[in-house]
Each structure stands twice: as C-alpha cells, then as structure tokens.
Amino acid sequence: MRPATTLELLATPSEVSGVRRALSAYGADVQLCASELVTNVVQHLGEGVPVTVRVWCDDGGRTRLEVTDPDPRALPVLRASVGADEESGRGLALLDALAARWGVSHGPGRGKTVWCELEAGPGGGAVPVGSVVGPGRTATAGRDPR
C-alpha cells in the first residue's frame, strides 16, 4: 500500500492550485475532486478555514480522498441541475460523476470529513469503484451505488 499524503492548510483560492500540484502523482481525477472540495470550503465557510486533505491508495488500486474542515453543520448538497448561465454549483456534480462513492463523515471531535473513492484505471485515469466507509466513520450524505 502506498503511504498516505496529508496536507494541512488554510483554505484560500491560492491554496487550491497548491493542493492540485501536491496531488499530481494521484492523477487528474483525484486532483479535480480535491480542488472542488477545498473550493467548497472557501466558498461556504470562508477563507482561512483550517483544512486537512488526506489521500491514500490501497493494494487493490482504490484511492480515497478526504477533506476535513471544522464545521459539522455546513454539509455539501448535490444540486439537481445548474443553469447554463450560473458560474458555480457544478463541483459536487463533477465529484459525483468521477467517484463511485462519496459522502460526509462525522468522527470523534468536531467538524466533518467529505470523502470520495476512486480507482486507478488503464492509462492512469481514475474510474469509480465501491468500498466500505473507514472504521469509526459513518456516511451521512453522498452517493453509494450498492
């Protein structure tokens, strides 16, 4: 199993590109999902919020991405549709299209973790795969194709 990558940062627009660069070894789909989740923190909680981004791959080729922030109440919501003229609102739709599973976990302590799971496919791109929620965590939102 590949070691986990953990990034601790203050969520700002300039940090989003830094997260993408730091996760380049995981592929474009993981970079895009991480970028969208950190951007959601900036947009919905504000700049300067402490965030932890954690990514790891298991021996089966699955990649799990987690973005943890301190606000347990601001839950992500997948919008049914976004108008062509709207400038935002597509981030979770992208995540939903790329990940086999995603959701929100509330673990011990405060805050929440928005997570998604992807699998490395042929040519290094990520394609969806299902997996189980980690120990001590429960999915409270998101998509599970089972």
Side-chain angles (χ1 to χ4, degrees):
M1 182 161 81
R2 178 184 197 168
T5 298
T6 302
L7 308 170
E8 303 220 353
L9 55 116
L10 297 178
T12 63
S14 63
E15 286 288 350
V16 173
S17 60
V19 168
R20 283 193 302 264
R21 281 191 301 278
L23 301 180
S24 64
Y26 292 94
D29 290 351
V30 171
Q31 288 175 294
L32 179 58
C33 290
S35 172
E36 292 301 333
L37 292 176
V38 174
T39 297
N40 279 352
V41 173
V42 173
Q43 289 181 340
H44 299 288
L45 299 182
E47 291 190 32
V49 172
V51 171
T52 301
V53 178
R54 190 162 186 258
V55 183
W56 70 93
C57 298
D58 68 15
D59 292 332
R62 287 174 278 198
T63 301
R64 183 166 172 118
L65 164 68
E66 297 181 344
V67 175
T68 302
D69 69 62
D71 190 338
R73 299 163 304 186
L75 298 176
V77 176
L78 179 62
R79 293 173 60 180
S81 66
V82 178
D85 294 338
E86 293 183 65
E87 292 183 14
S88 65
R90 294 172 184 83
L92 285 178
L94 286 170
L95 182 122
D96 189 60
L98 294 173
R101 288 170 40 105
W102 69 273
V104 181
S105 301
H106 292 90
R110 303 177 68 182
K112 68 175 171 304
T113 299
V114 182
W115 56 268
C116 65
E117 295 172 348
L118 304 104
E119 180 179 350
V127 295
V129 68
S131 184
V132 297
V133 175
R137 299 181 184 263
T138 58
T140 58
R143 178 178 72 125
D144 183 346
R146 289 187 286 167

